[in-house]
Structures are given as structure tokens and as C-alpha cells.
Amino acid sequence: MPDLTTAPAGARPAPGTPVPLTYEQDWFLAKTRTGGWAHKNVRLGFEILGDLDADALLEAVRAFVVRHDALHLRMDPGPRPRQWTRPIDADEQVVEYRKVGAASPGQFSRYAAALLSRDTVTPWAYGEQRPFALRLLRGDTGRHALLVTFQNLVFDGRSHHLFGHEVWRDYEALRRGGSVADSAPSFAEAAARQRSGTGPDRRERALASWRERLGFLARAPWVRPDGAPATEDGTLRAELGAAATAALRRACEGRRSTLLQWTVGSFVHALATRTGRTEVGLWTSMDSRPSRDRDVVGMFAGSCPLTVTDAAGDPGAVRDRVRAALLEALRHQRLTAGETAELTRRAEAEHGAPVPRDLYVNLRRFEGAHSGSREAGGLRITADAYPLRRITFADGHALHLRCAEYRDRLLIGLVYDGRRVGRPLAQALLDDVLAAAAADARPAR
């Protein structure tokens, strides 16, 4: 078991002082050690076209790393893992900056993609290296690539968003001769608050909630509906534009719901209606940060079960039940990997069936507008510009709903297993969600 010793909440530990693992770090370590997970770092790749001020960008990236203490973590991965911080030294190189002698823009992009791919699957040398690899490549005066990978144990989806937001904000400030922040909310403090805030009563309520939800999943597994033809695996995608997203968001606010809660609720209702199921059990990703820690870089994302009864009833009522299920899951996230593993074992023994993970929902929300490319200070910056080369990651779910909410866009992806679901059923589910969005976004007469 990891060392769960907590530092005093409210005071950033001195360098070398043990930092408690978050529950999500604990889960991540357990899954990588016992679940056969392939190693995968969090990656970002930016194509930068135009007259880049390389010094300003290097300083902005360094400032991000210096002020976020999750990126200073070292870990002893022994039988009782422990972690501590070692701040960035004044003369320590944080970003590798070098010129690449490419014969063409295409060759430069292929090289950048290959390098990012290698960094994505390179394991972290625990206790020996920083948990990141940061590279700025120069093709010529008008072409650069910023390649970034972070060890997932210290960096989650929210951290991913904060990096892109803060680095380009600081780049603009430095170009204008301004200054940037030299401190940020502390991961070590947030981790200590998370641990110290989990008393015996809260833990018992969490145990009871997980016990009930895992038992539900074991007795209500996914079964491919009769008559659903098998097809090749695939992914379906849909997008709501700015006007539709704004109208649907207003409708959700009137029902005290968020746009992402509405989307999951509509998916569950469509699934129940199309398959004749009255109970739906699924898993979702969950960010356990409280509002005061929204700007903390670190690892606070984990998966948890959701359970919905009477899932084929009135659509509005089903969405309300899904919203309640999401809040229930968030309220009771604070269990160790050992506790959830034991609860899973007991549920499987009681019901004589495995706890499945056939249905999964991944939710992400971004404060800004959606843009594959953006203009900033005379630059054209394209995110996710370098796809992985010769690397694929299998999706073991029967259905995997991916939702990304932006200020002006809602992106929906539905990954389906052709053998267990098939394209026709997956397409019908997505069509039902889109039809519900069109109906709910329509102004009331």
C-alpha cells in the first residue's frame, strides 16, 4: 500500500518532506502495477507558424514548471510508495531547444510526430528524473514545434488544459515586456487537504456507496441486443455549433443541469430505449478537485461507477437521475485502490459474475472557445498537430462516449465495439442524442 502520511494541510511542505498521494494517484499506481496497463504519458503537441519569440516561449514554459509543485515530484516506487518534492534549480534546463535540419515542412512534422510518439510511451524513471519531457524544435524562422509530455501520475486532463492556457497567456505577457506569476496553488497542499478531509464517517459512506454501485454493475452487465448485427469497430462523431450549444446550455441551466450532465443523461435514455433495458450501469471519469483547487496542476482524475434505474422513463426524469448519480459518484470518490479492489472482489463473489466496464463515459470541459488553430501575436498555433506514429491504444469498452464542451461547441464521439454493439445501434444512439439536443434547444413557443 502507498504511504498515506499526510503533511499538515494549509502549509506547503519543505523540499524533501513526504507529500501524500492523492486517491487518484493511488489508483493509477495500482492499475499500472496489477492491471497490465500499457504505459502512456499525457501529451501535447503544438505546431507554431510565424515569427516566434523563442526566448519568451522558453521562459513561459519554464515559469509554468517552476510554479507548479506537482512537476517537482520524485517518487520511491517501493512496496510502500512515497513521494516528495525537489524544486527546480536556478540553472536547471527545463526545456530542450534545438534546430532540426529537415529537408521540407513535411519531414519536419514527421520527425516531430515520431519524437512525441517516443516520449508518449517512455516510462518515467521514478526517483531519477523529472516527470516531464519538454522540447522546442526549430525547423526554420517561421516553423517551430512545442512537444510536451507529462507523467500521468502527476498530470491529468485539467492540468492539460491549464498548461495550454497559462503558457500562451504568459508568452503574450512576456512579449509585451510584462511579468508572469512566480507561484501557483500547491498540489502538495491540495493533496494534504484531500487526505485530511476524509474522516471515518465519510469513508464509511463512500464504502457503502461503492458497494451498492459495484453490486449493481455485477448483476446488470451489458448484453448485445438481439438482432443487432456485428460490424467492424469504429468511431462516430458529431458536433453542435455555437448557436445550438448556447441554446442547449440555456435550457440546461433552467433545469439546474450542466451541458455534460444533459449529454450523459440523453445517452443513457437512448441506450435504455433502444435496447429495452430498465437499468443501466456504466463508468465515467471524475475530477475530484473542489472549486478552491480548480487551478491546481496534479493528478485528481479517476474512474467510478454510475448506476441508473428506470432509465427508459421520461427523458427529463432520466436526466435528473443521471445528474444525481454523477453527484453521488463525486461525493464518494475518496477510497484507496485497495478498498475499491476488495469491494470489487466481494461484489463479484456475491453475484457470481465480474464487475464489467463495458460502458464508459469520458467528460471534459474547457473554459475557452474551440479552435484547432488560433492566432496569437502574429503566430498561427495548432494544437494536436502531431499524431502518434506506429502506436495505437486499444479501447476495450463496448461503448465509449467522449464529450468535450467548449464555450462555443460541443463535440461528441462514440467509440463502439463492432462485435458487442455494431455500427447501426451506435449510430441510432448518437442520432437519438442529437435529436434530443435539437428538441431541447428549440425556443419554447
Side-chain angles (χ1 to χ4, degrees), residues 366-409:
F366 301 89
E367 284 87 354
H370 175 266
S371 176
S373 298
R374 60 179 174 176
E375 305 289 337
L379 300 176
R380 184 172 180 81
I381 303 164
T382 302
D384 300 323
Y386 305 106
L388 296 180
R389 295 174 62 85
R390 300 185 179 90
I391 297 173
T392 58
F393 296 100
D395 191 321
H397 310 294
L399 283 167
H400 183 175
L401 180 70
R402 298 171 174 171
C403 304
E405 177 189 355
Y406 296 84
R407 187 177 67 239
D408 62 342
R409 203 77 51 92

Side-chain angles (χ1 to χ4, degrees), residues 91-174:
D91 60 350
E92 183 175 350
Q93 179 179 332
V94 170
V95 188
E96 178 192 7
Y97 179 39
R98 60 189 170 94
K99 188 178 188 305
V100 176
S104 66
Q107 187 183 61
F108 176 79
S109 295
R110 288 191 294 274
Y111 176 78
L115 189 55
L116 184 62
S117 299
R118 186 195 70 183
D119 288 343
T120 297
V121 296
T122 299
W124 182 25
Y126 290 100
E128 299 176 15
Q129 67 178 112
R130 298 296 189 184
F132 53 79
L134 310 173
R135 309 181 193 277
L136 180 60
L137 308 182
R138 179 180 183 271
D140 53 48
T141 56
R143 183 177 300 274
H144 290 76
L146 177 61
L147 310 179
V148 178
T149 54
F150 293 98
Q151 161 61 244
N152 210 168
L153 193 63
V154 302
F155 212 79
D156 59 10
R158 176 64 182 172
S159 305
H160 183 290
H161 170 71
L162 290 170
F163 178 88
H165 170 71
E166 293 184 15
V167 164
W168 292 111
R169 176 201 66 193
D170 290 353
Y171 171 77
E172 284 297 301
L174 291 166

Side-chain angles (χ1 to χ4, degrees), residues 54-390:
D55 290 338
L57 182 55
L58 291 170
E59 185 176 348
V61 174
R62 179 182 178 85
F64 180 88
V65 172
V66 168
R67 66 177 174 257
H68 288 290
D69 61 345
L71 305 181
H72 307 170
L73 287 170
R74 298 290 181 95
M75 176 172 284
D76 174 4
R80 293 177 60 83
R82 61 187 184 91
Q83 62 184 359
W84 63 95
T85 61
R86 184 173 72 79
I88 306 297
D89 296 331
D91 60 350
E92 183 175 350
Q93 179 179 332
V94 170
V95 188
E96 178 192 7
Y97 179 39
R98 60 189 170 94
K99 188 178 188 305
V100 176
S104 66
Q107 187 183 61
F108 176 79
S109 295
R110 288 191 294 274
Y111 176 78
L115 189 55
L116 184 62
S117 299
R118 186 195 70 183
D119 288 343
T120 297
V121 296
T122 299
W124 182 25
Y126 290 100
E128 299 176 15
Q129 67 178 112
R130 298 296 189 184
F132 53 79
L134 310 173
R135 309 181 193 277
L136 180 60
L137 308 182
R138 179 180 183 271
D140 53 48
T141 56
R143 183 177 300 274
H144 290 76
L146 177 61
L147 310 179
V148 178
T149 54
F150 293 98
Q151 161 61 244
N152 210 168
L153 193 63
V154 302
F155 212 79
D156 59 10
R158 176 64 182 172
S159 305
H160 183 290
H161 170 71
L162 290 170
F163 178 88
H165 170 71
E166 293 184 15
V167 164
W168 292 111
R169 176 201 66 193
D170 290 353
Y171 171 77
E172 284 297 301
L174 291 166
R175 281 187 64 254
R176 294 192 299 267
S179 60
V180 300
D182 59 5
S183 63
S186 167
F187 168 78
E189 292 177 19
R193 282 194 295 271
Q194 186 198 63
R195 288 292 184 176
S196 64
T198 308
D201 290 345
R202 186 167 190 169
R203 176 176 171 275
E204 287 303 318
R205 289 194 295 271
L207 287 168
S209 176
W210 273 76
R211 186 181 303 114
E212 180 180 350
R213 285 180 282 152
L214 290 170
F216 182 106
L217 287 168
R219 65 177 173 79
W222 167 260
V223 178
R224 189 179 111 190
D226 292 338
T231 66
E232 296 293 324
D233 299 347
T235 301
L236 303 172
R237 293 182 174 86
E239 176 180 317
L240 295 187
T245 298
L248 186 56
R249 187 178 288 119
R250 287 193 297 270
C252 291
E253 290 171 352
R255 302 183 182 101
R256 301 179 62 186
S257 176
T258 69
L259 186 56
L260 291 177
Q261 290 170 350
W262 181 96
T263 306
V264 180
S266 297
F267 172 71
V268 168
H269 181 263
L271 187 68
T273 302
R274 289 284 179 177
T275 62
R277 302 172 68 94
T278 57
E279 298 182 327
V280 175
L282 62 160
W283 291 78
T284 188
S285 54
M286 187 68 69
D287 182 346
S288 70
R289 288 173 178 80
S291 57
R292 67 174 292 180
D293 292 330
R294 291 300 296 163
D295 292 334
V296 174
V297 165
M299 180 55 170
F300 292 95
S303 60
C304 58
L306 301 177
T307 58
V308 185
T309 58
D310 194 14
D314 173 75
V318 173
R319 294 186 194 112
D320 288 343
R321 294 187 190 100
V322 169
R323 176 178 179 273
L326 287 163
L327 294 176
E328 167 80 5
L330 179 60
R331 190 178 297 118
H332 298 304
Q333 274 291 83
R334 299 184 176 187
L335 292 179
T336 67
E339 288 168 332
T340 58
E342 176 60 19
L343 289 171
T344 300
R345 186 192 66 76
R346 292 183 180 181
E348 292 178 342
E350 178 181 351
H351 295 280
V355 172
R357 287 179 175 260
D358 290 316
L359 308 178
Y360 198 89
V361 175
N362 182 263
L363 309 173
R364 295 189 67 186
R365 181 179 181 276
F366 301 89
E367 284 87 354
H370 175 266
S371 176
S373 298
R374 60 179 174 176
E375 305 289 337
L379 300 176
R380 184 172 180 81
I381 303 164
T382 302
D384 300 323
Y386 305 106
L388 296 180
R389 295 174 62 85
R390 300 185 179 90

